[in-house]
Amino acid sequence: MPSEKILLQKQQIVAELAEKLKGSVAGVLVDYKGITVADDTKLRKELREAGVEYTVIKNRLLALAAKEAGLEGMIPTLENSTALAVSESDHVAAAKILNKYAEGSKGKFTVKCGFVEGNVIDAAGVAELAQLPSREVLVAKVLGGFNAPISGFANVLSANLRGLVVALNAIAEKQSA
């Protein structure tokens, strides 16, 4: 039987983890067995630079936190070694980095599942999420879409003015001749 002090510490860890899950826009769970220390250090650095928090966590504590955060769909995947990567602002960063690493690891490092905006997705969903362009690229495409009709309208107006100028120029040349 664990002491009351240890039990309180674990309850606090679960509460903090549940808040982290609720406060994140997206996250990915991975099985990290077989990863070398050098590769893990490189992976953690890349995740940190992208604003993703990466933590190795006990399955039992993560299961309790997931239940508290309303992400019960993650619980069946909590076996073996588990690491959690969460992002508070970028929906695709964790998925992109971890999926790319999993593809190159030859089965040693695998994606278990993930979540986006409170919805649990499987490993295939994480792979699809990783294929999306970054937020900046999506915003640029949307703004380009908004800009296209305006550019077309400006071209139509300038074409009419060009036609008028050509016609006036032809009349002026005809009268001078």
Side-chain angles (χ1 to χ4, degrees):
M1 183 86 179
S3 71
E4 191 171 326
K5 182 179 178 183
I6 292 173
L7 194 58
L8 287 174
Q9 287 175 340
K10 287 185 178 183
Q11 287 174 344
Q12 183 179 3
I13 290 169
V14 168
E16 289 171 4
L17 190 55
E19 285 303 311
K20 189 184 299 184
L21 291 172
K22 288 177 190 174
S24 301
V25 294
V28 178
L29 291 177
V30 294
D31 185 347
Y32 64 90
K33 70 175 179 250
I35 187 172
T36 65
V37 173
D39 286 343
D40 187 50
T41 303
K42 186 174 133 185
L43 181 64
R44 285 177 184 266
K45 181 179 184 271
E46 192 175 346
L47 288 166
R48 197 175 324 111
E49 288 171 353
V52 177
E53 189 177 332
Y54 181 78
T55 313
V56 173
I57 192 79
K58 290 185 177 230
N59 289 330
R60 182 69 183 137
L61 297 177
L62 185 55
L64 293 170
K67 189 173 184 179
E68 191 175 318
L71 298 169
E72 289 90 0
M74 293 187 338
I75 296 173
T77 64
L78 298 177
E79 314 177 323
N80 303 324
S81 52
T82 303
L84 171 68
V86 292
S87 176
E88 293 180 358
S89 59
D90 194 342
H91 291 77
V92 297
K96 275 187 181 295
I97 295 168
L98 294 172
N99 197 55
K100 181 179 81 174
Y101 188 81
E103 287 173 355
S105 73
K106 300 175 183 138
K108 295 179 183 176
F109 184 91
T110 57
V111 174
K112 293 181 174 186
C113 69
F115 67 93
V116 179
E117 297 287 342
N119 298 315
V120 177
I121 55 176
D122 60 359
V126 173
E128 288 178 26
L129 184 64
Q131 300 304 317
L132 287 176
S134 67
R135 182 179 188 276
E136 291 78 21
V137 172
L138 289 174
V139 168
K141 285 183 178 185
V142 168
L143 292 177
F146 287 148
N147 195 22
I150 296 169
S151 299
F153 185 65
N155 286 338
V156 167
L157 290 178
S158 67
N160 287 339
L161 289 176
R162 259 193 314 268
L164 178 63
V165 168
V166 168
L168 290 176
N169 194 21
I171 292 172
E173 284 180 11
K174 188 175 184 181
Q175 286 181 350
S176 65

